Amino acid sequence: MNRLFYFALPWVLLGLSSTVCAYELGAMVSSQSSYGTRQNQWPQHDLLADFEFNDSIGKGELTLITRLRYGEKPDYNHIETPNNYSDWSKPLWINDKGELSIRELYWDINTNQTSWRIGKQQVVWGKADGLKLLDVVNPQSFRQFILDDFDDSRIPIWMVNWQWIMGNNSTLQLLWIPDTTAHEIPPQHSPFAFTSPVVVPQASGSIPVSVNELELPENLPKDSDAGIRLTSFIYGWDISVNYLYHYVDFPVLRTELENQQVTIYQSLERSHLIGTSASTAINDWTLRTELAFESDRYFRTYTAIPGVEQQDQISGLIGFDWQGWRDQYVSIQWFHKTILNASNNLIEDSQSNTITLLWDSYFFNETLKLQ
């Protein structure tokens, strides 16, 4: 798709719709800043301006959200030519201080039992907060590592999202995702660059390293992702069963020794995700659980060549949320991950556990939040 056409299309739709019916416009301006004590610098100081347009077209509702990001200093985390975006989803880069992008652009069509959402959008799966088990439909921007909220760090992608209401308590969702956009990884000169040997190959000594760019799958519709989810409310429990056939959005890094230098090749690999989630409320408490099986994941090894090992993994979550005090919210979660049939050559432990604690306090009628 021609990028000029991609950016012109929304404004053509706006012009057509505004001539025949009323519409709604909205805007929100926010600022995000962070300070690095080790580098003694501000790695993030952004001004964000989101503009939203809503209008009815035909039998549906059109939503357009654009985002302007601008920083008064050069962006240390900026990639001048990002290679994680498909041709359909690339932002319009202004310079190293700002960018303009179409955040979301979709058309909603609803009937008595079905709904369609067609276009660039976000889809949220699962019950986990902070670490993702089932919530992997959309890729994520790690440009500021984990400082952004999930709604901001998710990268909206083009898809067809169909839902069918099956009776009063169940809904079936089908996804077709031709957009092959992957995670946005910060560059190596960024303060938020990945440095863990679990993720990044470590060259020994003074051997030069050459990194090849990631090449996204482009054979459509063969390289599309597809997902299905069934949700239901049974005996006080919100339950979902999920399946996603997709390219894992973290690139697999393979290393080879060529002409006395290490060459790193990046590629995206397929995986089958099968999972379930459940939650229920008990007085002031909410219990959340989530379980996910993923096939064909790749893990770094101590061996320089090829440097990765393919295994399956299973992950689980148990979370407790409490709202017993006014204007207070407390959440505790336990995550567990097991790499199945893992060898002793993996850098990452075959089993890992993570515990998270979140405490939100609201003041002045929820106009101020301490987290």
Side-chain angles (χ1 to χ4, degrees):
M1 180 182 295
N2 184 278
R3 293 189 63 198
L4 179 60
F5 172 77
Y6 164 68
F7 280 98
L9 175 62
W11 310 113
V12 173
L13 294 175
L14 297 188
L16 292 175
S17 62
S18 61
T19 60
V20 296
C21 53
Y23 55 85
E24 295 181 359
L25 288 172
M28 182 176 68
V29 179
S30 60
S31 178
Q32 298 179 1
S33 299
S34 62
Y35 180 75
T37 56
R38 178 174 297 182
Q39 298 87 3
N40 193 28
Q41 64 183 16
W42 293 87
Q44 179 195 26
H45 190 70
D46 294 335
L47 180 67
L48 304 177
D50 291 344
F51 301 91
E52 182 171 349
F53 172 90
N54 296 278
D55 197 0
S56 57
I57 296 182
K59 297 182 179 180
E61 182 80 14
L62 177 71
T63 297
L64 167 65
I65 301 175
T66 62
R67 168 167 293 178
L68 175 64
R69 179 193 295 266
Y70 183 81
E72 62 182 32
K73 296 181 179 180
D75 189 352
Y76 298 100
N77 320 299
H78 171 75
I79 304 175
E80 184 175 353
T81 307
N83 56 8
N84 65 295
Y85 289 95
S86 68
D87 290 338
W88 304 1
S89 296
K90 287 182 179 178
L92 176 63
W93 298 93
I94 299 175
N95 51 40
D96 63 351
K97 293 185 178 182
E99 69 184 48
L100 175 65
S101 63
I102 296 176
R103 184 70 181 163
E104 298 187 33
L105 173 60
Y106 54 82
W107 188 31
D108 283 323
I109 309 173
N110 299 307
T111 64
N112 291 334
Q113 287 187 295
T114 64
S115 67
W116 293 81
R117 175 167 289 185
I118 304 171
K120 194 175 188 182
Q121 57 189 281
Q122 297 185 46
V123 171
V124 182
W125 281 3
K127 304 293 183 180
D129 183 16
L131 297 176
K132 296 186 175 183
L133 278 68
L134 298 178
D135 187 15
V136 295
V137 175
N138 288 81
Q140 184 173 348
S141 172
F142 292 94
R143 186 171 179 171
Q144 276 87 32
F145 192 41
I146 59 173
L147 295 183
D148 285 337
D149 293 335
F150 270 171
D151 287 344
D152 289 327
S153 67
R154 286 192 198 93
I155 301 175
I157 53 178
W158 298 90
M159 69 178 80
V160 176
N161 179 359
W162 176 79
Q163 297 189 61
W164 173 36
I165 301 175
M166 306 166 58
N168 295 326
N169 298 322
S170 300
T171 301
L172 179 68
Q173 180 184 43
L174 299 178
L175 302 175
W176 175 55
I177 310 171
D179 193 336
T180 57
T181 298
H183 289 323
E184 182 179 6
I185 308 298
Q188 285 302 303
H189 63 265
S190 166
F192 300 112
F194 294 162
T195 58
S196 169
V198 171
V199 179
V200 182
Q202 305 294 308
S204 59
S206 58
I207 300 178
V209 178
S210 173
V211 181
N212 286 1
E213 287 191 354
L214 171 66
E215 294 185 5
L216 297 176
E218 296 180 349
N219 186 9
L220 299 178
K222 178 182 177 181
D223 288 329
S224 301
D225 295 346
I228 181 172
R229 180 178 68 159
L230 177 64
T231 60
S232 189
F233 185 76
I234 304 174
Y235 298 112
W237 286 83
D238 285 308
I239 298 175
S240 76
V241 179
N242 309 60
Y243 170 74
L244 183 67
Y245 178 58
H246 70 128
Y247 281 100
V248 177
D249 291 317
F250 269 116
V252 177
L253 305 183
R254 296 179 171 89
T255 58
E256 293 186 10
L257 185 61
E258 299 176 340
N259 300 323
Q260 303 302 313
Q261 77 170 11
V262 174
T263 303
I264 299 177
Y265 295 92
Q266 305 184 60
S267 64
L268 299 182
E269 301 294 343
R270 286 284 198 183
S271 175
H272 296 271
L273 170 68
I274 303 172
T276 182
S277 67
S279 66
T280 187
I282 307 172
N283 296 324
D284 296 329
W285 292 86
T286 299
L287 170 64
R288 297 178 287 112
T289 62
E290 195 168 323
L291 185 67
F293 168 82
E294 297 176 84
S295 70
D296 306 319
R297 296 301 304 268
Y298 288 80
F299 304 92
R300 298 221 55 78
T301 67
Y302 287 106
T303 305
I305 303 174
V308 291
E309 182 177 301
Q310 177 183 325
Q311 297 292 351
D312 301 335
Q313 76 173 28
I314 187 168
S315 306
L317 154 78
I318 297 177
F320 294 93
D321 307 330
W322 184 65
Q323 292 180 289
W325 295 340
R326 182 181 177 183
D327 297 330
Q328 304 293 315
Y329 172 80
V330 180
S331 175
I332 300 175
Q333 299 179 124
W334 170 57
F335 293 85
H336 176 81
K337 183 176 75 172
T338 297
I339 303 173
L340 303 177
N341 302 317
S343 69
N344 296 327
N345 199 33
L346 295 186
I347 297 177
E348 187 174 351
D349 293 336
S350 60
Q351 296 191 29
S352 61
N353 295 279
T354 304
I355 296 177
T356 68
L357 170 64
L358 173 65
W359 190 341
D360 286 344
S361 298
Y362 297 90
F363 305 94
F364 307 114
N365 294 324
E366 298 188 1
T367 57
L368 178 66
K369 182 175 73 171
L370 177 65
Q371 186 175 77

